[in-house]
Amino acid sequence: MLRTHTNGELRLTDINKEVTLCGWVQVVRDKGGMIYIDLRDRYGITQLILEESKTDKAVLDTVRTLSREFVIAATGTVIERLAKNDKIPTGDVELKVSNVTILNPAKLPPFLIEDKTDGGDDIRMKYRYLDLRRNPVRANLVLRHQVAKFTRNYLDNQDFIEVETPVLIKSTPEGARDFVVPSRMNPGEFYALPQSPQTFKQLLMVSGFDRYYQIVKCFRDEDLRADRQPEFTQIDCEMSFIEQEDILNMFEGLIRHLFTEVKGIDIGEVSRMTYAHAMKTYGSDKPDIRFGMEFKELKSEDIDLTSGKGFAVFDDANTVVGICVKGCAEYTRKQMDELTDFVKRPQIGAKGMIYMRYNADGTLKSSVDKFYSEEDLKQWATTFGAEKGDLILILSGDGDKVRKQLNELRLEMGNRLGLRNPNNYSVHWVVDFPLLEYGEEDDRWFAMHHPFTSPKPEDIQYLASGEYGKIRANAYDMVINGVEVGGGSIRIFQKELQAKMFEVLGFSDEEAKHQFGFLMDAFEFGAPPHGGLAFGFDRLCSLFGGSDSIRDFIAFPKNNSGRDVMIDSPSTIDQKQLNELKIKTV
Amino acid sequence: MLRTHTNGELRLTDINKEVTLCGWVQVVRDKGGMIYIDLRDRYGITQLILEESKTDKAVLDTVRTLSREFVIAATGTVIERLAKNDKIPTGDVELKVSNVTILNPAKLPPFLIEDKTDGGDDIRMKYRYLDLRRNPVRANLVLRHQVAKFTRNYLDNQDFIEVETPVLIKSTPEGARDFVVPSRMNPGEFYALPQSPQTFKQLLMVSGFDRYYQIVKCFRDEDLRADRQPEFTQIDCEMSFIEQEDILNMFEGLIRHLFTEVKGIDIGEVSRMTYAHAMKTYGSDKPDIRFGMEFKELKSEDIDLTSGKGFAVFDDANTVVGICVKGCAEYTRKQMDELTDFVKRPQIGAKGMIYMRYNADGTLKSSVDKFYSEEDLKQWATTFGAEKGDLILILSGDGDKVRKQLNELRLEMGNRLGLRNPNNYSVHWVVDFPLLEYGEEDDRWFAMHHPFTSPKPEDIQYLASGEYGKIRANAYDMVINGVEVGGGSIRIFQKELQAKMFEVLGFSDEEAKHQFGFLMDAFEFGAPPHGGLAFGFDRLCSLFGGSDSIRDFIAFPKNNSGRDVMIDSPSTIDQKQLNELKIKTV
């Protein structure tokens, strides 16, 4: 080793030891008589000290050529610091340097290698290897390593076996768009990169592997939204001889283990909520339940507290629904306008917002006073369980659509009121998702989860009757702080039911056989009941790190055009390569 | 859970318990009055028993419809077996069945799901999910899981961090052929799949990550030899602030740990051997040193015991070299002919083989007696350190070429004499590989390891003088039982030296900048001294499993045409996909 210790290691107990440290020059402070260097590595910072009168002149000369990010080796004696620094673990000592070797000089980096940097996103991505030197970015990757490690520990202890499934697989048109790989040995044919190892893990269950997991790269060639990556990592799991409840217990156990080990947090009970309840109460299939503001209805299939009073907006809507925001009755006109503007943004698309203040003096004041009597408003207040000082925000419109709008408003209020602290965690399941959803554009039914998800036994009747919208699936998502971190389902394991599902999804027999024949065959040779789920590993890490961005938790991420700007990829390839692959760009 | 226990779990201590088991029917033995079922899962086999007079008729009727590989759940009481079976851990007990549920019926599998199967390679690959049910194949994947687990444990304990590097990277013409992925968002451009994360791990060192590892899929679009796969897995590692000796110590430590934990074997000292010594003494850069038969020279640059006696074959050769095979002087004419045929096979390419017997009676008898006197032969015997009863096999020809031929003969003799037991392990390093090798066909120098490998400091002079063949690299391979399981090098970390290397390899400045500009840039911002290595994980697992074939240790391998015959991939894709990617097949 070129060093005897790391820069995070020396303590008072090391005093008088002769040591050699290696690392990067964080900063040189030349005070004339004394020169101080902060030497940095992955483990910390140690202060080096040289004294004009006592250090060899050649060494001083070398040190005076150093600047930020030079890589050096420094040898000397550990001494006690006069002015201790209690902000760093090595702050009680310093290294009295007898020799310094420059291992590699450094140009001035294009941005500051400090916790708060002056580098913008683009420059930091181009020089990602320098960005990764910064403590917060490095800490993210260390966290990621730990989450992976404790995931493996937990699953290993539960008899899961990690099995690597292939990366070069087969393209299937169902689902998102595949990345494909031309085969040179089989001209005109292509591999596809997996969007998930779904069919392989099911085959492993048919093989009797019983408890499988894999931390695995997956790929989707989608137009990238702000926080999507073309390659991403999943914790992929599957179990046999189980029921839904077993999966939920096993994997809330995993998440509990991770919170305990990585964050030192006990997450308490992990509650379950049906999809129907989540949509009705929060307008979302991934509600953030760390704060109340549950939806209350003024008009719906079950109730009508608004019609016939001459307010056409409510009269024309089939749904009037709102939230009660505690203690915000005093919101100013300006604040109310901001909220109205918020819900009217095209991404949300509400036509407007109605509000009602339950003032401190007990009076009720709404933006629709001219249509509704105080009695009406009192009834509303009761419906919302409102108290003095509360503010009620109401949207109206069409069923699920208005609920989704209100969900956005609810989350916005949570943000405004500081109720969504990323370091305050709430974990729950949403269960009983619909099996199928109707795609207006394509005029056909789509699998909400994927074509291998099993309907709830009590709803299988609707497969026969053609009432596809009524079928609930044995499918579940785990939600943390309003973010879907994972999901899965109990799978179909009988050939006939799987064939029926493909039929409902518009596959011809031939298409089903061409694409999934191997799976249908496998189901005939003794497939066990099985199910599983996958966690978005990048997302999970970002949640543990208290961040919104998965990109911060990926060593070398791509930008929104799918480019790695550091290595400048994708790029053109040689004509020779194209010729060998027997393809042409057009 | 649909079961209370697994089929590997029940013991005498469980007697009288009511349990439910799930699994696959291995075999049904219907003895009329009694029916026995061997029920199998990943954990073992448990015997179920039903008695004509005592079991419910409906249950008996169900059981009589069962055949091999049906998936069932069986409930009953654990009882002591009268005739115990000491071959299986559950052999003291059996399950007296009260109820059986068929979870899924099974067609007759196309081959026997038993340790010794009647299925050929092709059918087993097509139904790989059934092949994986067989104990030996499952055991291979469990072994693989354990090797991965203990690898991670060791490296985690040594402060290594696992970092995931990208799969969608950039194509570089140096080295093997890349698989490429057309980019839809960047038409006309392509990603490449990594042949190794080489440049990324070096960038992580520049980032200060210090100790990196990853168990990672890599890809090579090569014409597949018997035991190559287009996708394969590496244990990829890199360290900073180290010298070669540190890497060797760290990773022989890893292999030692794996042997201890996975095999319960202490591998003892891991010796080192130079490339030059390995080539001279074994004719191979990955010698199997579990048995002697070191090469001895009769004619070379240093010695000549054969010339001028009228034997033109030896006179025309610059090298005459052989091995002494202990105790084989009695080999028959037929055996000698077999060996001669062996070395004359086109894959080996020797023109012939000379032998000399050191008979039990002390006489020497060679196939070239008419050219060489007994004195000559005695001198040969002395050179080989031969004793009575030994057989000496001699090849002649051109330097390294004849040594490689003799290497094949030596290994063949090792095989014939049972000296290469796969469960007897020998681990050693080969070091000081040449930096560059000359490619006759292309008339240029190639990097023997890769372009990032550093020359030995004492040989850097030959870079300037242009004597490239003399330059040794700080490069090393780990060899187990004559198989290269891993290799690596100390890397170049200075921009100028890296630029010089690219120049020697025939890159123009522009090409070097286009392909590796990011790495050259990175070296200017403070790159630490670093080095590392990669182990072939599939190969390592096959060695631990005592097998020659890596395919047996991969869940879903591809065949020699790069096809997955189970899922039938690669395959054609939709015209719509090609249109979106703006490519055409030609």
Side-chain angles (χ1 to χ4, degrees):
Chain A
M1 302 282 173
L2 304 183
R3 65 187 175 202
T4 58
H5 294 75
T6 72
N7 291 313
E9 204 173 350
L10 296 174
R11 299 288 185 274
L12 282 175
T13 48
D14 297 304
I15 278 179
N16 291 328
K17 281 190 190 155
E18 273 284 310
V19 307
T20 299
L21 302 177
C22 290
W24 286 261
V25 172
Q26 179 72 31
V27 67
V28 181
R29 287 182 300 275
D30 190 342
K31 308 281 187 190
M34 308 285 272
I35 304 176
Y36 300 94
I37 301 170
D38 281 353
L39 191 64
R40 188 196 70 232
D41 63 15
R42 176 187 137 198
Y43 309 90
I45 281 186
T46 302
Q47 178 164 286
L48 316 182
I49 179 169
L50 300 94
E51 235 174 307
E52 186 74 58
S53 51
K54 298 189 184 155
T55 315
D56 190 62
K57 182 159 184 313
V59 175
L60 286 169
D61 288 347
T62 300
V63 163
R64 289 206 159 104
T65 69
L66 298 179
S67 57
R68 280 173 182 271
E69 304 305 320
F70 271 51
V71 185
I72 64 169
T75 302
T77 313
V78 183
I79 59 173
E80 184 167 0
R81 253 166 102 154
L82 287 177
K84 299 200 169 48
N85 178 352
D86 59 9
K87 288 187 190 125
I88 55 173
T90 62
D92 288 346
V93 299
E94 59 195 355
L95 187 69
K96 198 178 146 193
V97 173
S98 58
N99 199 18
V100 164
T101 310
I102 297 176
L103 298 172
N104 216 347
K107 287 201 305 193
L108 195 68
F111 53 85
L112 283 174
I113 312 292
E114 289 180 2
D115 292 8
K116 297 258 177 221
T117 181
D118 56 349
D121 250 19
D122 291 350
I123 191 92
R124 288 192 294 113
M125 283 301 139
K126 181 165 164 57
Y127 297 95
R128 180 64 166 175
Y129 49 86
L130 296 179
D131 199 30
L132 287 170
R133 282 189 195 160
R134 300 194 306 116
N135 292 324
V137 187
R138 189 184 55 243
N140 289 345
L141 294 196
V142 172
L143 176 82
R144 185 180 176 109
H145 170 66
Q146 289 176 326
V147 176
K149 185 168 103 174
F150 288 113
T151 297
R152 289 198 164 90
N153 285 354
Y154 177 84
L155 294 172
D156 287 349
N157 283 334
Q158 299 286 343
D159 272 334
F160 282 77
I161 292 182
E162 186 163 27
V163 179
E164 290 176 61
T165 53
V167 176
L168 296 172
I169 64 164
K170 183 172 172 169
S171 189
T172 57
E174 186 73 8
R177 203 183 285 109
D178 286 323
F179 282 106
V180 298
V181 181
S183 166
R184 182 182 54 85
M185 289 211 273
N186 305 273
E189 298 190 332
F190 293 79
Y191 302 100
L193 304 182
Q195 296 182 30
S196 93
Q198 183 62 34
T199 49
F200 288 97
K201 69 176 173 176
Q202 292 194 241
L203 291 176
L204 286 171
M205 294 304 109
V206 176
S207 297
F209 271 83
D210 199 72
R211 294 184 170 200
Y212 143 91
Y213 83 97
Q214 191 182 188
I215 300 184
V216 60
K217 273 279 172 74
C218 300
F219 306 87
R220 261 177 225 171
D221 185 13
E222 291 297 295
D223 296 318
L224 301 173
R225 294 194 314 235
D227 208 30
R228 283 255 190 119
Q229 288 280 316
E231 51 179 299
F232 55 97
T233 304
Q234 286 190 351
I235 307 173
D236 192 50
C237 306
E238 198 81 2
M239 298 173 77
S240 291
F241 302 119
I242 45 72
E243 293 170 302
Q244 174 168 307
E245 193 59 21
D246 302 313
I247 302 266
L248 303 189
N249 288 330
M250 179 63 74
F251 292 100
E252 66 189 52
L254 168 62
I255 296 300
R256 179 172 285 116
H257 177 75
L258 293 178
F259 270 103
T260 306
E261 296 294 331
V262 178
K263 304 284 291 182
I265 291 174
D266 176 3
I267 54 167
E269 205 206 337
V270 176
S271 59
R272 287 110 204 250
M273 180 188 298
T274 65
Y275 173 87
H277 179 79
M279 291 307 292
K280 194 174 170 69
T281 313
Y282 299 99
S284 167
D285 60 2
K286 44 178 190 286
D288 184 345
I289 58 170
R290 285 174 298 176
F291 60 104
M293 294 191 211
E294 290 89 355
F295 293 6
K296 302 292 177 194
E297 293 164 358
L298 298 182
K299 181 177 180 181
S300 73
E301 285 174 4
D302 307 321
I303 196 172
D304 189 351
L305 302 178
T306 64
S307 296
K309 304 295 173 102
F311 185 46
V313 173
F314 281 3
D315 288 354
D316 294 346
N318 67 27
T319 306
V320 178
V321 60
I323 53 176
C324 174
V325 186
K326 302 308 282 179
C328 286
E330 306 282 324
Y331 256 39
T332 62
R333 182 73 209 199
K334 182 160 166 278
Q335 286 173 304
M336 298 312 302
D337 287 347
E338 279 171 15
L339 293 180
T340 305
D341 289 346
F342 175 83
V343 297
K344 286 167 89 172
R345 287 165 27 176
Q347 307 94 301
I348 299 183
K351 294 252 166 58
M353 185 187 77
I354 304 302
Y355 64 83
M356 181 176 81
R357 304 176 194 272
Y358 197 153
N359 293 315
D361 62 5
T363 58
L364 294 164
K365 176 81 190 116
S366 88
S367 54
V368 286
D369 278 357
K370 63 174 157 176
F371 301 106
Y372 296 97
S373 67
E374 196 171 342
E375 254 338 283
D376 292 332
L377 298 188
K378 269 191 184 152
Q379 220 179 350
W380 295 7
T382 307
T383 302
F384 279 100
E387 297 171 310
K388 284 176 193 170
D390 292 352
L391 174 68
I392 290 164
L393 303 175
I394 301 166
L395 299 182
S396 63
D398 190 30
D400 276 358
K401 204 165 140 191
V402 69
R403 284 197 169 81
K404 283 177 185 168
Q405 293 163 351
L406 187 59
N407 165 54
E408 299 290 342
L409 179 59
R410 175 179 176 270
L411 294 176
E412 170 68 11
M413 291 314 299
N415 287 336
R416 282 179 176 240
L417 299 174
L419 304 173
R420 307 189 67 202
N421 176 358
N423 295 309
N424 172 18
Y425 293 94
S426 150
V427 183
H428 66 101
W429 293 102
V430 176
V431 299
D432 297 355
F433 275 76
L435 182 70
L436 297 157
E437 57 185 345
Y438 192 70
E440 301 283 349
E441 254 182 64
D442 300 79
D443 186 25
R444 72 168 181 96
W445 291 90
F446 286 87
M448 194 149 180
H449 188 50
H450 57 48
F452 314 109
T453 299
S454 69
K456 289 186 103 61
E458 59 268 39
D459 291 354
I460 283 191
Q461 48 173 322
Y462 302 121
L463 257 185
S465 69
E467 298 166 278
Y468 299 150
K470 282 193 183 172
I471 309 170
R472 290 165 304 159
N474 277 324
Y476 31 81
D477 277 356
M478 180 180 274
V479 178
I480 303 183
N481 295 1
V483 175
E484 181 217 319
V485 294
S489 63
I490 303 301
R491 323 300 184 187
I492 297 169
F493 68 105
Q494 309 96 332
K495 183 175 181 175
E496 302 70 34
L497 185 54
Q498 189 62 69
K500 176 70 186 168
M501 270 302 288
F502 284 133
E503 184 199 314
V504 169
L505 295 171
F507 285 62
S508 71
D509 277 4
E510 205 171 56
E511 284 166 345
K513 198 174 151 52
H514 176 64
Q515 289 169 38
F516 298 111
F518 60 98
L519 189 67
M520 313 268 274
D521 283 351
F523 285 175
E524 293 199 290
F525 289 108
H530 62 284
L533 86 181
F535 289 99
F537 184 63
D538 310 289
R539 172 62 60 208
L540 197 61
C541 291
S542 77
L543 271 167
F544 276 99
S547 165
D548 281 341
S549 162
I550 64 169
R551 200 174 291 187
D552 296 345
F553 293 79
I554 295 173
F556 300 101
K558 292 183 176 59
N559 73 11
N560 284 347
S561 318
R563 292 201 75 81
D564 181 329
V565 295
M566 180 186 71
I567 62 170
D568 191 25
S569 163
S571 62
T572 55
I573 58 175
D574 286 357
Q575 187 58 43
K576 184 175 163 238
Q577 286 175 283
L578 294 172
N579 293 347
E580 284 188 327
L581 296 170
K582 300 211 166 40
I583 59 170
K584 234 181 166 166
T585 57
V586 289
Chain B
M1 300 281 173
L2 303 183
R3 65 188 174 200
T4 58
H5 294 74
T6 72
N7 291 314
E9 204 173 348
L10 296 175
R11 298 289 183 276
L12 283 174
T13 48
D14 296 305
I15 278 179
N16 292 328
K17 279 189 191 157
E18 273 286 307
V19 307
T20 299
L21 302 177
C22 290
W24 286 261
V25 171
Q26 180 72 32
V27 67
V28 182
R29 288 182 300 274
D30 191 342
K31 308 280 186 191
M34 309 284 272
I35 305 176
Y36 298 94
I37 301 171
D38 282 353
L39 191 64
R40 187 194 72 232
D41 63 14
R42 176 186 139 198
Y43 308 90
I45 281 186
T46 301
Q47 178 164 285
L48 315 183
I49 178 168
L50 299 95
E51 236 176 304
E52 185 73 60
S53 51
K54 297 190 183 154
T55 314
D56 191 59
K57 177 154 186 315
V59 175
L60 286 169
D61 288 347
T62 300
V63 163
R64 290 205 158 104
T65 69
L66 297 179
S67 58
R68 280 174 183 272
E69 303 307 319
F70 271 51
V71 185
I72 64 169
T75 302
T77 312
V78 183
I79 59 174
E80 184 166 0
R81 256 168 100 152
L82 288 176
K84 297 200 169 49
N85 178 351
D86 59 10
K87 289 187 189 126
I88 56 173
T90 61
D92 288 346
V93 298
E94 59 196 356
L95 188 69
K96 197 177 148 197
V97 174
S98 58
N99 197 19
V100 163
T101 309
I102 297 177
L103 297 172
N104 216 347
K107 287 201 306 194
L108 196 68
F111 52 87
L112 283 175
I113 312 293
E114 289 179 2
D115 291 9
K116 297 255 178 225
T117 181
D118 56 351
D121 249 19
D122 291 350
I123 191 94
R124 289 192 294 112
M125 282 301 140
K126 181 165 164 57
Y127 297 96
R128 180 65 166 175
Y129 48 88
L130 297 178
D131 200 31
L132 287 170
R133 279 189 197 161
R134 299 195 305 117
N135 291 325
V137 187
R138 189 185 53 242
N140 289 346
L141 293 197
V142 172
L143 176 82
R144 184 180 176 109
H145 170 66
Q146 288 175 328
V147 176
K149 184 167 104 174
F150 289 111
T151 297
R152 289 199 165 90
N153 285 355
Y154 177 84
L155 294 172
D156 287 349
N157 282 334
Q158 299 285 345
D159 272 336
F160 281 77
I161 292 182
E162 186 163 27
V163 180
E164 291 176 60
T165 53
V167 175
L168 296 171
I169 65 165
K170 184 173 173 169
S171 188
T172 57
E174 186 73 8
R177 205 182 284 107
D178 286 323
F179 282 105
V180 298
V181 181
S183 167
R184 182 182 54 86
M185 289 211 272
N186 305 273
E189 299 190 331
F190 293 77
Y191 302 99
L193 304 182
Q195 296 183 30
S196 92
Q198 183 62 35
T199 49
F200 288 96
K201 70 176 172 175
Q202 292 194 242
L203 291 176
L204 287 171
M205 294 304 109
V206 176
S207 297
F209 271 84
D210 200 73
R211 294 183 170 202
Y212 143 92
Y213 83 97
Q214 191 181 188
I215 300 185
V216 60
K217 274 276 173 74
C218 300
F219 306 86
R220 261 177 224 172
D221 184 13
E222 291 297 293
D223 297 319
L224 301 173
R225 293 194 314 237
D227 208 31
R228 281 254 189 121
Q229 287 281 316
E231 52 179 299
F232 55 97
T233 303
Q234 287 190 350
I235 306 173
D236 192 50
C237 305
E238 197 81 2
M239 299 173 77
S240 292
F241 302 121
I242 44 71
E243 293 169 302
Q244 174 169 306
E245 193 59 22
D246 302 313
I247 302 266
L248 302 189
N249 288 330
M250 178 63 73
F251 293 101
E252 66 190 54
L254 168 62
I255 296 300
R256 179 170 285 116
H257 176 75
L258 293 178
F259 271 102
T260 306
E261 296 294 331
V262 178
K263 304 283 289 182
I265 291 174
D266 176 2
I267 54 167
E269 204 206 340
V270 176
S271 60
R272 286 110 205 251
M273 178 187 297
T274 65
Y275 172 88
H277 179 79
M279 291 307 294
K280 194 175 171 70
T281 313
Y282 299 99
S284 167
D285 59 2
K286 42 179 191 287
D288 184 345
I289 59 169
R290 285 174 298 175
F291 60 105
M293 294 191 209
E294 290 88 356
F295 293 6
K296 301 292 177 194
E297 293 165 359
L298 298 182
K299 179 174 178 181
S300 73
E301 285 174 4
D302 307 321
I303 196 171
D304 189 351
L305 301 177
T306 65
S307 295
K309 304 293 172 102
F311 185 46
V313 173
F314 282 2
D315 287 355
D316 294 346
N318 67 26
T319 305
V320 179
V321 60
I323 53 175
C324 174
V325 187
K326 303 309 281 178
C328 288
E330 307 282 327
Y331 255 38
T332 62
R333 181 74 207 199
K334 181 158 168 279
Q335 285 173 307
M336 298 312 301
D337 286 347
E338 280 171 13
L339 293 180
T340 304
D341 289 347
F342 176 83
V343 297
K344 287 167 89 172
R345 287 164 28 174
Q347 306 94 300
I348 298 181
K351 294 251 166 58
M353 185 187 77
I354 304 303
Y355 65 84
M356 180 176 84
R357 304 176 194 274
Y358 197 152
N359 293 315
D361 62 6
T363 58
L364 293 166
K365 176 84 190 113
S366 88
S367 53
V368 287
D369 278 357
K370 65 173 152 174
F371 303 105
Y372 297 97
S373 68
E374 194 170 348
E375 253 340 280
D376 293 332
L377 299 186
K378 271 194 184 150
Q379 218 178 354
W380 295 7
T382 308
T383 301
F384 280 100
E387 298 171 310
K388 285 176 191 169
D390 292 352
L391 175 67
I392 288 164
L393 303 175
I394 301 166
L395 300 183
S396 62
D398 190 29
D400 276 358
K401 206 167 140 191
V402 67
R403 285 199 167 80
K404 283 177 186 170
Q405 292 163 353
L406 187 59
N407 165 53
E408 299 291 341
L409 180 59
R410 176 179 176 271
L411 294 176
E412 171 67 13
M413 292 313 299
N415 288 335
R416 282 178 174 241
L417 299 174
L419 304 173
R420 305 189 69 200
N421 175 357
N423 295 310
N424 172 16
Y425 292 95
S426 149
V427 183
H428 66 102
W429 293 102
V430 175
V431 300
D432 296 356
F433 274 76
L435 183 69
L436 297 158
E437 57 185 345
Y438 192 69
E440 301 284 350
E441 254 182 65
D442 300 80
D443 185 27
R444 71 167 181 96
W445 290 90
F446 286 87
M448 193 148 179
H449 187 52
H450 57 49
F452 314 109
T453 299
S454 69
K456 287 187 103 61
E458 59 268 38
D459 291 353
I460 283 192
Q461 48 173 323
Y462 303 120
L463 257 185
S465 70
E467 298 166 276
Y468 299 150
K470 285 193 181 172
I471 309 171
R472 290 166 304 162
N474 277 323
Y476 32 81
D477 277 356
M478 180 180 274
V479 178
I480 303 182
N481 294 1
V483 176
E484 181 216 319
V485 294
S489 63
I490 302 300
R491 323 299 184 187
I492 296 168
F493 69 104
Q494 309 95 329
K495 182 176 181 175
E496 302 69 36
L497 185 54
Q498 189 63 68
K500 176 70 186 171
M501 271 300 291
F502 284 132
E503 184 199 314
V504 169
L505 295 171
F507 285 62
S508 70
D509 276 5
E510 207 171 55
E511 284 166 346
K513 198 174 150 52
H514 175 66
Q515 289 169 37
F516 298 110
F518 60 97
L519 188 68
M520 313 269 273
D521 283 351
F523 285 175
E524 294 200 288
F525 289 109
H530 62 286
L533 87 181
F535 289 99
F537 184 63
D538 310 290
R539 171 62 61 210
L540 198 60
C541 292
S542 76
L543 271 167
F544 276 99
S547 164
D548 282 341
S549 162
I550 64 170
R551 201 174 292 186
D552 296 343
F553 294 79
I554 295 172
F556 299 101
K558 293 183 175 58
N559 72 12
N560 284 349
S561 318
R563 293 202 74 81
D564 181 328
V565 295
M566 179 186 72
I567 61 170
D568 190 25
S569 163
S571 61
T572 55
I573 59 175
D574 285 356
Q575 188 58 43
K576 183 172 163 243
Q577 285 175 286
L578 294 172
N579 293 347
E580 284 187 328
L581 295 171
K582 300 209 164 45
I583 59 169
K584 236 181 165 164
T585 59
V586 289

